[in-house]
Amino acid sequence: MTSHGGRRTQAERDAITVEIGYALCSAAFAAAVVFGAVAGPALLFDLPDTPESLLLRAGLVLTPVLFVARVVSVLARFRSADQPSQPGRTSPDS
C-alpha cells in the first residue's frame, strides 16, 4: 500500500479483500487436508482406542494451528510484497 496513514484507493481495498479471501480459503483447504491425513485413518479404520484417540486429538490440535499459520503467512507475504526494497526503482536490475 503506497498511502501509509492516508486513505486507500478502491483498487488497494479490493486487493486486500481478495488477498484475505484467498488466505482464508487456502487455509481452510490446507487444514482440511491435514485433518484428513492425520485423523482420517482413525475415522476410516477400526483402530484400538489409544491410537484412535491420539490421531483424532492430533488432528484437532494441528488443524487450527495450520489454519492460523497459513493465514498469517499469506497476509504477511502480501504486505511485504507491496513495499519495494529500493524506493524509486522500477526493477531490481535498474
Side-chain angles (χ1 to χ4, degrees):
M1 306 301 141
T2 56
S3 55
H4 299 289
R7 295 185 60 106
R8 292 188 174 113
T9 65
Q10 183 64 40
E12 290 172 331
R13 290 194 305 266
D14 290 346
I16 291 169
T17 302
V18 167
E19 199 65 23
I20 290 170
Y22 169 72
L24 292 173
C25 289
S26 67
F29 179 75
V33 167
V34 166
F35 181 79
V38 173
L43 299 172
L44 291 175
F45 302 116
D46 188 24
L47 299 175
D49 289 340
T50 303
E52 182 176 349
S53 174
L54 288 174
L55 287 174
L56 286 173
R57 288 175 195 243
L60 290 174
V61 169
L62 287 175
T63 300
V65 170
L66 176 68
F67 182 87
V68 170
R70 176 68 181 161
V71 169
V72 169
S73 70
V74 168
L75 295 180
R77 195 171 350 129
F78 175 71
R79 182 178 175 122
S80 66
D82 291 336
Q83 300 170 358
S85 60
Q86 299 173 339
R89 294 196 172 187
T90 56
S91 71
D93 298 335
S94 59

